[in-house]
Amino acid sequence: MELSGTIMEKINSGRVYGEAQFNNLPPLRETYDLCYVLSYIGVLCPLAAGEAQYSVSKEFPPHVIPGNYTFTGTATDQMNNELFCLKGGCVITG
């Protein structure tokens, strides 16, 4: 996954709101600390204003259950301004 854009103001903190669904089961909804989530891809807060480009590639662990996965997510900054939204999915076979 690649993200790119312009950060208008320094980002000190924020939230990531995510929803994931497996097959047709009820969705799992969670809220995470933005800086904690970014640390998983090697990005540390604060984020400076200016042009930004990030690339993320992660493998699923071998114990993930095969099936259809969908996800959506939005992120907000410390002022509750929306930073980005994501929507995607995948099919895991095994």
Side-chain angles (χ1 to χ4, degrees), residues 19-93:
E19 181 175 304
Q21 189 164 10
F22 171 68
N23 289 334
N24 291 317
L25 297 174
L28 172 66
R29 294 180 180 98
E30 294 288 335
T31 301
Y32 303 95
D33 178 81
L34 175 66
C35 295
Y36 178 76
V37 171
L38 291 176
S39 71
Y40 273 97
I41 61 169
V43 177
L44 301 177
C45 288
L47 303 176
E51 296 299 313
Q53 186 168 359
Y54 304 103
S55 180
V56 181
S57 177
K58 298 284 184 182
E59 290 188 25
F60 288 103
H63 61 274
V64 172
I65 300 169
N68 294 312
Y69 291 82
T70 59
F71 59 88
T72 59
T74 59
T76 58
D77 66 9
Q78 64 271 7
M79 300 298 290
N80 208 32
N81 296 312
E82 186 174 285
L83 300 172
F84 60 84
C85 60
L86 302 170
K87 184 175 185 176
C90 64
V91 176
I92 297 178
T93 60

